[in-house]
Amino acid sequence: MTSLSHLAEKILGGYFVSRDEALGLATDEAISPWVLFEQANRLREAHFGNRVHLCSIVNAKMGGCPEDCGFCSQSARFETGVERGTGIISEAEVAKAEARAEAWGSGALSMVTATRGYKAGAEFDKVLARVKQVSAGGRLEAHASLGLLGLDEFKALRAAGCTEFNHNLETGRGYFEKVCTTHTYDDRIATIRNARAVGMRTCVGGIIGMGEAAEDRVDLAMTLRELDVDEVPLNFLVSVEGTPMAAVAKERAPMAPLEMLRQVAMFRFVLPTKNIFICAGRQHLGDLQALIFQAGASGIMIGDFLTTKNRSPEDDLKMISDLGLEPKACGRSSIAKVVDRETDSGRVSLAVIAN
Ligand code: SF4
């Protein structure tokens, strides 16, 4: 492989790394992670400067999903202790989630439901109403993650004001059937294409650490590049007792933090201009969490995940500030500055959105 500095230079000039080059970045122990991160950071800085994108989600319908995604605590097929199939959350709950996301500096709130997907019907109408509530509020962009959708449903979602749709591919095509058997990789790709067809931005990523090979991670990165997705959420497996992936994880040594960061860097080399943000499982990096930006990540999910806790938003905003980086609301709102405020639960750092 040419020197990493030369490779990064070529990428900045418009070159696309080959699959073999990407595999080398993900696996070649002769490549010092520190040299790799230096060049990944150069690519990040070239496209994102000092900005760290922040996004937040709300679990709009928890549990009871008929699908069998092997990592998911919300599948009705696994005994995970997660509540089985709540209804769509109320207007009041959405309003609370909006207020939290706004206080943290997220420019968008993504409504996530544990479902295979939707066809027109009463439940979908409720989801649309909640999406409309966020978009009509005008303070946050309304995003959604609702499983497999057809074109008609996307048109309705777009009309409700949704601007971005999340639908992860989870892993490379070759490993997907080890992760999920109730729908196919092509079903997921069709949904991503439908979202684009109605003019929505797409947010598509996956999970690292489900027993997949480095080749599968590279395949995922290459597919995301082909699909030209807009944002790339990367997760590290959070092993939930009762799921098949928890059993897979027990059989393997956990990935070392530097190895995890090496994978982030590989994604940055393959997807130099895309917003790569780190979501669930960031805690597995331990003391190395702050190195995600050096490894090429340009954003984080702030606030809790669907069924598991994240680090506190205050700690995340402090980390960003300590690194000399600037929180940037994901979505149309522009920058956010961090201020200290007295709240009922004590003094906290809050990010303020300035449009
Ligand atoms: S479709 Fe979504 S909610 Fe359902 S099992 Fe898969 S990941 Fe979980």
Side-chain angles (χ1 to χ4, degrees):
M1 185 182 283
T2 47
S3 84
L4 283 182
S5 162
H6 182 58
L7 183 60
E9 193 70 43
K10 285 204 304 178
I11 292 170
L12 290 171
Y15 175 73
F16 292 109
V17 295
S18 67
R19 190 178 182 285
D20 284 350
E21 284 171 326
L23 195 54
L25 296 168
T27 59
D28 187 349
E29 289 179 4
I31 299 176
S32 152
W34 301 104
V35 176
L36 177 63
F37 301 161
E38 183 185 350
Q39 296 307 320
N41 189 51
R42 183 175 163 201
L43 296 173
R44 177 191 66 78
E45 274 186 338
H47 296 288
F48 297 91
N50 262 1
R51 298 181 305 280
V52 172
H53 290 244
L54 304 176
C55 76
S56 297
I57 56 177
V58 59
N59 197 342
K61 180 202 154 288
M62 188 184 289
C65 179
E67 303 302 287
D68 71 350
C69 307
F71 55 86
C72 183
S73 61
Q74 301 198 79
S75 168
R77 296 167 188 251
F78 315 135
E79 290 296 334
T80 62
V82 166
E83 208 173 333
R84 295 212 162 189
T86 60
I88 301 297
I89 59 172
S90 66
E91 274 179 45
E93 285 167 312
V94 169
K96 273 192 213 159
E98 274 182 288
R100 283 195 301 266
E102 197 182 14
W104 300 330
S106 298
L109 179 66
S110 186
M111 204 81 63
V112 186
T113 56
T115 40
R116 174 182 164 86
Y118 285 104
K119 297 264 178 238
E123 185 164 308
F124 190 52
D125 286 345
K126 266 194 185 171
V127 175
L128 293 177
R130 300 297 177 266
V131 168
K132 214 178 255 176
Q133 180 184 343
V134 175
S135 65
R139 307 193 317 271
L140 299 170
E141 273 195 29
H143 296 179
S145 182
L146 310 173
L148 305 169
L149 297 189
L151 257 185
D152 287 345
E153 288 73 30
F154 270 117
K155 284 179 190 158
L157 194 57
R158 187 81 185 92
C162 180
T163 52
E164 182 164 325
F165 195 76
N166 163 259
H167 198 59
N168 290 340
L169 287 176
E170 313 303 4
T171 187
R173 181 184 282 278
Y175 196 68
F176 186 77
E177 64 181 25
K178 297 264 181 358
V179 175
C180 174
T181 65
T182 47
H183 56 267
T184 66
Y185 212 64
D186 286 326
D187 290 334
R188 291 202 174 209
I189 286 178
T191 288
I192 294 159
R193 293 211 159 110
N194 285 340
R196 291 199 64 150
V198 301
M200 277 186 205
R201 292 197 306 270
T202 53
C203 169
V204 186
I207 304 175
I208 292 168
M210 296 193 289
E212 79 285 352
E215 284 82 354
D216 299 310
R217 295 192 281 272
V218 170
D219 286 346
L220 171 62
M222 292 288 162
T223 304
L224 298 177
R225 188 169 78 187
E226 272 165 43
L227 291 171
D228 195 22
V229 303
D230 298 287
E231 320 236 30
V232 178
L234 292 181
N235 304 272
F236 301 107
L237 178 70
V238 176
S239 185
V240 177
E241 212 49 55
T243 62
M245 286 304 158
V248 169
K250 273 185 195 150
E251 286 167 12
R252 299 181 160 242
M255 199 182 269
L258 274 182
E259 268 309 291
M260 295 162 73
L261 291 170
R262 186 186 277 277
Q263 309 312 308
V264 175
M266 179 275 288
F267 275 88
R268 172 53 68 210
F269 271 76
V270 176
L271 299 154
T273 63
K274 304 300 183 186
N275 180 27
I276 295 173
F277 60 106
I278 309 298
C279 304
R282 183 152 45 93
Q283 69 274 19
H284 298 329
L285 290 165
D287 287 343
L288 303 198
Q289 267 199 58
L291 287 181
I292 54 174
F293 307 111
Q294 181 78 15
S298 47
I300 56 169
M301 186 171 284
I302 191 162
D304 288 338
F305 305 115
L306 296 174
T307 60
T308 56
K309 289 266 172 214
N310 194 357
R311 201 161 83 131
S312 83
E314 293 77 23
D315 284 348
D316 278 341
L317 291 169
K318 182 166 186 323
M319 169 178 75
I320 293 166
S321 162
D322 287 350
L323 288 165
L325 300 173
E326 265 178 36
K328 158 92 171 67
C330 183
R332 67 173 164 247
S333 309
S334 59
I335 61 108
K337 69 175 176 178
V338 180
V339 293
D340 286 332
R341 291 262 172 80
E342 289 300 335
T343 71
D344 293 347
S345 47
R347 196 168 177 78
V348 295
S349 295
L350 297 177
V352 179
I353 297 172
N355 284 313

